[in-house]
Amino acid sequence: DGGITQSPKYLFRKEGQNVTLSCEQNLNHDAMYWYRQDPGQGLRLIYYSQIVNDFQKGDIAEGYSVSREKKESFPLTVTSAQKNPTAFYLCASSATSANQETQYFGPGTRLLVL
Amino acid sequence: AQSVTQLGSHVSVSEGALVLLRCNYSSSVPPYLFWYVQYPNQGLQLLLKYTTGATLVKGINGFEAEFKKSETSFHLTKPSAHMSDAAEYFCAVIHTGGFKTIFGAGTRLFVKA
């Protein structure tokens, strides 16, 4: 079955620690996205990638980093510079970056701070 | 700047009753419009979308939405609510000629037996 997988489902971060969230898709999609979801705020775009080896900052990129070395993978690192990382993180992909394309979402990773 | 407003963070209906979830957008030109559904601790799933053409759009699970340019609205409806419809619903827009999806804050739908 084609789809998007995210791991882990739950992730705990200690003070000063960097953690990496995995996102893999086997839909052969060019574009991939990372969103942060907080209660009552909808989804906010962290980073997006329209093609392999290229990515751009979204609205709330500070304290996060990404890479796009392979078409199917778009990992997100939450660095120690992100002072309020507790949230639900959603990865998505679309066939292209054309603006009418449907985005397909993974099941999410919930990040909690110890 | 574009924005999406979903009226009511929580909506409660009885099983079998009409579901109406409201969405208004701000845009100087008609955007592309989407409704997504999210079940607890899961990702979002597309319900329906409007790009061009017929303004009444039918989606999955019996939902439909009507694009009304004069009212800058894209309200989601379902004639008869089912218990399985309980979830959070997000309206989203993409500016024509743009790229970024703007999501509303979401409306949580409760369905009472």
Side-chain angles (χ1 to χ4, degrees):
Chain A
D1 283 338
I4 301 178
T5 57
Q6 291 186 242
S7 62
K9 188 175 177 68
Y10 295 95
L11 185 58
F12 297 92
R13 194 191 90 164
K14 297 178 181 178
E15 286 288 333
Q17 186 181 38
N18 293 354
V19 292
T20 298
L21 285 61
S22 170
C23 176
E24 304 276 333
Q25 54 99 357
N26 61 3
L27 300 167
N28 199 33
H29 284 175
D30 284 330
M32 297 187 75
Y33 315 80
W34 273 106
Y35 292 94
R36 171 178 170 142
Q37 185 177 21
D38 295 281
Q41 294 193 44
L43 277 68
R44 292 182 291 169
L45 183 65
I46 305 173
Y47 269 97
Y48 64 96
S49 169
Q50 296 176 270
I51 199 165
V52 177
N53 293 321
D54 183 59
F55 51 83
Q56 287 82 39
K57 293 181 179 179
D59 298 319
I60 56 165
E62 186 174 350
Y64 301 96
S65 66
V66 294
S67 63
R68 186 87 188 276
E69 297 175 1
K70 297 186 295 182
K71 185 175 186 177
E72 59 269 23
S73 178
F74 191 41
L76 173 74
T77 296
V78 184
T79 74
S80 57
Q82 173 48 245
K83 297 306 179 188
N84 184 23
T86 297
F88 191 50
Y89 290 86
L90 288 164
C91 179
S93 71
S94 61
T96 70
S97 58
N99 57 14
Q100 68 272 38
E101 289 283 356
T102 299
Q103 292 188 25
Y104 295 84
F105 286 82
T109 292
R110 190 166 297 280
L111 177 60
L112 300 164
V113 177
L114 294 177
Chain B
Q2 284 190 90
S3 66
V4 179
T5 302
Q6 292 186 236
L7 295 175
S9 58
H10 297 85
V11 170
S12 183
V13 300
S14 297
E15 194 172 19
L18 171 72
V19 175
L20 171 61
L21 304 182
R22 300 178 188 274
C23 173
N24 289 87
Y25 65 90
S26 65
S27 177
S28 57
V29 295
Y32 299 117
L33 297 155
F34 303 77
W35 275 101
Y36 288 88
V37 61
Q38 183 181 33
Y39 298 100
N41 294 310
Q42 294 186 27
L44 278 66
Q45 178 185 4
L46 181 72
L47 274 179
L48 50 80
K49 68 180 181 182
Y50 169 80
T51 54
T52 58
T55 56
L56 181 63
V57 181
K58 294 186 184 300
I60 62 171
N61 302 338
F63 284 94
E64 61 182 36
E66 186 171 12
F67 168 56
K68 292 188 176 180
K69 181 180 176 181
S70 61
E71 299 177 7
T72 60
S73 70
F74 191 56
H75 302 330
L76 182 71
T77 61
K78 181 174 180 178
S80 176
H82 191 272
M83 297 297 288
S84 61
D85 295 326
E88 188 151 23
Y89 293 80
F90 292 91
C91 182
V93 302
I94 301 177
H95 204 22
T96 48
F99 166 71
K100 195 169 66 174
T101 303
I102 309 297
F103 288 87
T107 297
R108 185 167 295 279
L109 176 67
F110 297 91
V111 181
K112 300 175 291 186

